[in-house]
Structure formats: C-alpha cells, structure tokens
Amino acid sequence: GQNIDQPTEMTATEGAIVQINCTYQTSGFNGLFWYQQHAGEAPTFLSYNVLDGLEEKGRFSSFLSRSKGYSYLLLKELQMKDSASYLCAVRGNAGKSTFGDGTTLTVKP
Amino acid sequence: DTEVTQTPKHLVMGMTNKKSLKCEQHMGHRAMYWYKQKAKKPPELMFVYSYEKLSINESVPSRFSPECPNSSLLNLHLHALQPEDSALYLCASSQDPSSRRATIYFGEGSWLTVV
C-alpha cells in the first residue's frame, strides 16, 4: 500500500521562501510528483523527481531522497497567487499514482 | 499543448437518471484516468485505461461504468447514483503508463451533483 504524509496547512509571507515536506512509504516507487491546486480548479503539474537530488524550475524546486522516503517542494519569492493546495503524489506500480492529502498554503501580504 | 478537455463542466442529476461524463485528449497519450475528488480531499483514483484497455479498477461501484472508445476519448457512464457520489470528477492522461516519466495531466473536471 501507499502512505503519504504532508502538513495540513502552512502560512508564509509574500516574498519569502517556504518548504513543503512530503514523506512516503510505498510498496513500489516510480517517481514523485508535486501538483498545485487552486480552490475549485483541477490540479496542475509542478514537478517530477525519480532520482535523488534537486530539480529546479523557476521559483519552484523539488528535492527527493529515495532512501529516506522524503521529498520537499521549495517555493521562492512567494506571491499571493501561490496561495493554493500543494499535492504530493507517488507513482507506484502499474501506472497507479496516489496523492497525499495536500498542504494548504496561505500567502499573506 | 497539454490539454485534457472534459464535458460537461457542471452536471445535476437525479438518482434515477442516466448520464455520461466525457473526456478528450489529443496529445497522443496512451493512458487515461478517472479520479474522484471531494471537497478538501485529494483526488482518488477510480479507473486507469492503458492502450484503450481497462487496467485498474479501484473497486468502484458498478453504478460507475467507464468506456474508452478510442485512444483519445474516455467516458464515464453514470446510473442510479447516490447523493454521496456528488464530487468533482477529474479526467487525466499520461504519455505511456509504463514510462517512468509519465506525468499525469488533468482536465478541468466535471462538477457532479446528485439530488
């Protein structure tokens, strides 16, 4: 089975940096995804990690340690529009991806 | 272009109705998915189609019936639903179900209300 843990809520200030952690225990691992979901909208893809290390994409970076079952999403230069839910998803066997419960990020002025 | 199109965007149906949700993608993706999402909860996988064949059914009740007419289309037929089935239904697709880089791209979803 899959067990994915993320903090439920986080708050940060505009212009700051925030790190959202995700830990997982899975029976198979074929990559870890981060998605952003604004209220009332569908999830949108942010990043993908399958090897250990840091993947950087503009203001967003994602890190993976497979041995520790740990990932984080780093958001820099926070903007008000970054207020959203951030979903960690682990891709297991047979094309099946399981989502964590998501972290609701609130960015304050 | 990473577009998955779903129709209708909103659907209200009675418990005795029969309706369908439709999904279309023209990215050449060979895996298509249905997810169900309740408010403040993560998406829950319902079905996976791989090369137009049903590969995963997450023990979904038979009142939900998926159909994949071709590699670009995915339908979800609804019959005799319950009010607790009201949710956002998300269609998604990915390049190749066996690929390790098969990122899932979501459609905007269909909001379903069962009355």
Side-chain angles (χ1 to χ4, degrees), chain B residues 5-47:
Chain B
T5 304
Q6 290 187 241
T7 56
K9 287 191 172 14
H10 297 274
L11 176 64
V12 179
M13 62 185 290
M15 290 188 283
T16 59
N17 291 161
K18 284 186 182 180
K19 297 285 185 184
S20 297
L21 304 180
K22 298 185 183 299
C23 176
E24 190 169 359
Q25 58 87 14
H26 294 289
M27 296 178 279
H29 288 179
R30 302 315 301 268
M32 296 188 76
Y33 311 77
W34 281 114
Y35 282 84
K36 173 183 177 180
Q37 187 174 26
K38 302 282 274 186
K40 299 187 187 298
K41 294 291 186 182
E44 295 177 19
L45 183 65
M46 299 174 72
F47 302 103

Side-chain angles (χ1 to χ4, degrees), chain A residues 23-36:
Chain A
T23 58
Y24 63 89
Q25 294 172 309
T26 60
S27 55
F29 181 81
N30 283 295
L32 185 145
F33 300 87
W34 283 96
Y35 286 85
Q36 181 192 60

Side-chain angles (χ1 to χ4, degrees), chain B:
Chain B
D1 183 14
T2 55
E3 188 172 300
V4 178
T5 304
Q6 290 187 241
T7 56
K9 287 191 172 14
H10 297 274
L11 176 64
V12 179
M13 62 185 290
M15 290 188 283
T16 59
N17 291 161
K18 284 186 182 180
K19 297 285 185 184
S20 297
L21 304 180
K22 298 185 183 299
C23 176
E24 190 169 359
Q25 58 87 14
H26 294 289
M27 296 178 279
H29 288 179
R30 302 315 301 268
M32 296 188 76
Y33 311 77
W34 281 114
Y35 282 84
K36 173 183 177 180
Q37 187 174 26
K38 302 282 274 186
K40 299 187 187 298
K41 294 291 186 182
E44 295 177 19
L45 183 65
M46 299 174 72
F47 302 103
V48 180
Y49 271 83
S50 174
Y51 294 93
E52 300 162 50
K53 293 192 187 316
L54 183 65
S55 60
I56 295 177
N57 177 343
E58 288 289 279
S59 301
V60 179
S62 60
R63 58 186 184 269
F64 295 91
S65 174
E67 178 198 17
C68 189
N70 60 54
S71 60
S72 300
L73 296 175
L74 185 67
N75 298 323
L76 186 63
H77 302 299
L78 314 170
H79 174 53
L81 295 193
Q82 303 296 313
E84 59 264 30
D85 296 323
S86 298
L88 176 66
Y89 288 84
L90 293 162
C91 174
S93 68
S94 64
Q95 284 180 357
D96 181 335
S98 62
S99 167
R100 301 185 81 191
R101 290 198 65 89
T103 298
I104 296 174
Y105 296 96
F106 286 90
E108 292 189 350
S110 293
W111 290 93
L112 173 67
T113 302
V114 181
V115 297

Side-chain angles (χ1 to χ4, degrees), chain A residues 62-80:
Chain A
S62 58
F63 171 83
L64 175 68
S65 169
R66 288 172 295 170
S67 62
K68 295 181 180 178
Y70 167 69
S71 173
Y72 67 72
L73 179 69
L74 192 71
L75 292 77
K76 303 176 186 175
E77 301 170 15
L78 280 173
Q79 302 175 8
M80 299 300 291

